[in-house]
Amino acid sequence: MGLAESAREAAAALTLRGVRAIALTYVDNAGITRVKAVPPTRFDHAVTVGVGMSPVFDVFAFDDTITASKDSGGPDGDLRLKPALERLVRLAAQPGWAWAPVDRYEQDGTEHPGCSRTFLRHQVAALAERGYQARASFEVEWGVGRARPDNGFEPACTGPAYGMSSLVQLSDYSRDIVEALTGQGVVVEQLHPEYGRGQFEVSVAAADPVTAADLNVLVRQTIRAVGFRHQVATSFSPVVVAGEVGNGAHLHLSLWRNEQNLFCGGPGPSGLTGIGESFLAGVLAGLPAFVAVGAPSVASYLRMKPSQWAGVFACWGVENREAAMRFIPGSAGPPAANVELKCVDPSANPYLALGSVLALGTAAMDSGLTLPDPVSGDPVLRPDGAAVPRLPESMPEAVAALQANSVLRAAMGDRLLDAFLAVRQAELSAYGGLSPEQIAAASRWRY
Ligand code: GLU
Ligand code: MG
């Protein structure tokens, strides 16, 4: 069956199940999910020809102001959004709606060099060419509450961290999230009230990288939609309230070859294989540059504080939640071994974040690079803690590291990287001088 016919069949089946419109989304360089929608009757056209949308969104900031880079910006041009047919799903919390993520193409049919999903696909392909696969999952933390008349944040629950009383207060809401996600075929591993006021978290099963990034988008919009039905607002901002614990989007990753997990069963530290260790050593060395991608917003740096499990130290550690790279040996038998990159927050574009990690690891996997000694405990509390380097503590520092990183520039290409950097610059110019409270307020309901 051809692509158009498969798309028609899929759309017709959804129509029979009550779907009347399909949301087609991508995530831009500001970490914002942008959308165009089509009725099911136009889905085959979207899959084969694409839906038009300006490339100017490559240089949109999180507040919808528009900047420019050498090759992006201005009123000219158009792109085609082509949905991934295999990802089409009926949305449980938006009755009558379905969703699919898109890749963006130029009008002549070639790939748009600024497309972050395409960037991630290329990193996966580069890994596959060498015979390896990655599996990944993003944890999702968010704040649930209401906007106060004074523009403050009113949490929707008041229980203690991980407290059953928070779950009781939001019993219908949290059940509806699990039910909606499960109904969409998402494998929910766990849900809990987190440390922060009105903070929750959900974890979903690992998948191939492109699926994992798509799932992150789906999970977040599902949480938002369930919240809307329960008349509570959702914040995926890195900090909801300045000075309080933030929202992370911790990225779990493992590397595989021939069904073998290369993060276990080897002679290296904690059972890492040589390839696995070199891959992780490459990621670790690139973390200062990666932070510009994984924690890209002005609000990100309000979250990046020590002793809050936000992973602000440029080190790895076995089950150490203060290390930016937490190695998890895996309790469900060796194949579950993975690393958790904690220096990622939900203002990151998940496609760019995951693609960047894969690029850094892939570039190093044959290098024989080894990891330094793992760090245990909170470096702030260790007598020798000063020896453990901090990751960048400000956006300019992170951006400078990214600009100097040749692996990430080569992987992203000038068009994507320059647009990404232009957005950082625009956000920094507009918000960099504001107080933490002002930054938190400006960011709270944008992500
Ligand atoms: N909320 C913390 C963060 O900012 C993470 C807490 C945890 O380890 O789950 O990343
Ligand atoms: Mg958490």
Side-chain angles (χ1 to χ4, degrees):
M1 199 185 325
L3 190 58
E5 204 183 326
S6 303
R8 269 194 296 280
E9 209 165 83
L14 285 177
T15 304
L16 285 177
R17 298 177 67 204
V19 168
R20 298 294 174 261
I22 304 174
L24 309 178
T25 68
Y26 65 93
V27 184
D28 72 8
N29 285 321
I32 303 293
T33 301
R34 309 277 176 185
V35 63
K36 282 236 175 155
V38 295
T41 46
R42 283 288 281 185
F43 187 65
D44 60 335
H45 187 266
V47 164
T48 51
V49 180
V51 177
M53 192 152 174
S54 167
V56 78
F57 290 94
D58 288 346
V59 284
F60 261 52
F62 80 94
D63 63 359
D64 287 350
T65 55
I66 305 170
T67 184
S69 65
K70 187 163 74 63
D71 300 310
S72 303
D76 298 334
D78 205 24
L79 296 173
R80 313 300 304 174
L81 314 184
K82 293 191 184 178
L85 174 58
E86 70 280 8
R87 205 67 82 222
L88 179 66
V89 63
R90 193 166 70 112
L91 293 176
Q94 290 178 254
W97 281 91
W99 165 83
V102 305
D103 287 306
R104 295 185 297 154
Y105 290 84
E106 303 288 334
Q107 284 178 303
D108 65 6
T110 56
E111 292 174 337
H112 173 46
C115 175
S116 59
R117 193 171 186 272
T118 302
F119 161 68
L120 175 55
R121 284 196 294 107
H122 286 178
Q123 304 320 306
V124 172
L127 202 53
E129 261 167 39
R130 293 160 172 243
Y132 301 95
Q133 303 82 39
R135 300 196 46 85
S137 174
F138 287 93
E139 292 180 12
V140 178
E141 292 185 338
W142 73 97
V144 49
R146 293 180 184 83
R148 284 201 318 244
D150 68 353
N151 202 23
F153 172 75
E154 187 70 47
C157 57
T158 52
Y162 285 70
M164 185 61 192
S165 57
S166 281
L167 201 68
V168 170
Q169 288 166 21
L170 291 173
S171 185
D172 293 346
Y173 165 81
S174 40
R175 180 211 55 229
D176 284 356
I177 287 173
V178 175
E179 185 179 336
L181 291 174
T182 307
Q184 290 165 180
V186 178
V187 179
V188 175
E189 290 196 334
Q190 49 175 293
L191 171 142
H192 64 267
E194 251 289 350
Y195 189 90
R197 295 187 302 133
Q199 192 179 37
F200 267 68
E201 172 175 336
V202 78
S203 313
V204 301
D208 69 89
V210 177
T211 303
D214 288 340
L215 275 176
N216 181 250
V217 174
L218 176 62
V219 168
R220 287 165 51 157
Q221 72 192 26
T222 302
I223 291 167
R224 204 184 288 287
V226 171
F228 194 75
R229 293 168 75 76
H230 284 268
Q231 280 145 34
V232 286
T234 307
S235 175
F236 293 111
S237 179
V239 289
V240 181
V241 179
E244 296 187 10
V245 67
N247 288 324
H250 307 166
L251 171 52
H252 290 261
L253 186 76
S254 54
L255 182 68
W256 297 71
R257 184 181 186 118
N258 302 331
E259 310 290 309
Q260 194 208 334
N261 184 341
L262 301 177
F263 290 172
C264 58
S270 292
L272 285 164
T273 63
I275 296 280
E277 182 177 3
S278 294
F279 183 98
L280 290 181
V283 174
L284 183 63
L287 280 187
F290 169 73
V291 162
V293 180
S297 63
V298 276
S300 294
Y301 296 89
L302 303 180
R303 165 183 171 264
M304 295 283 279
K305 306 283 184 213
S307 311
Q308 301 196 354
W309 297 6
V312 301
F313 294 97
C315 65
W316 76 291
V318 182
E319 291 288 19
N320 183 354
R321 289 179 172 81
E322 277 301 309
M325 185 188 279
R326 169 190 172 206
F327 183 76
I328 302 170
S331 52
N338 68 95
V339 289
E340 176 187 36
L341 295 176
K342 292 180 85 73
C343 54
V344 187
D345 72 53
S347 64
N349 174 321
Y351 302 95
L352 287 184
L354 192 34
S356 299
V357 172
L358 293 183
L360 290 167
T362 304
M365 64 196 300
D366 293 329
S367 66
L369 216 60
T370 55
L371 285 167
D373 287 340
V375 171
S376 63
D378 185 343
V380 166
L381 303 175
R382 285 171 59 121
D384 60 346
V388 183
R390 279 282 298 265
L391 286 172
E393 292 178 51
S394 69
M395 193 197 287
E397 221 185 302
V399 163
L402 176 58
Q403 276 167 327
N405 190 296
S406 54
V407 171
L408 290 179
R409 178 165 286 276
M412 289 170 86
D414 290 348
R415 173 89 183 245
L416 176 57
L417 182 60
D418 290 346
F420 180 82
L421 289 170
V423 175
R424 304 285 72 72
Q425 194 50 55
E427 294 182 350
L428 185 65
S429 309
Y431 295 91
L434 301 190
S435 69
E437 290 71 25
Q438 288 170 317
I439 291 171
S443 309
R444 187 173 300 137
W445 306 116
R446 300 301 291 182
Y447 297 106

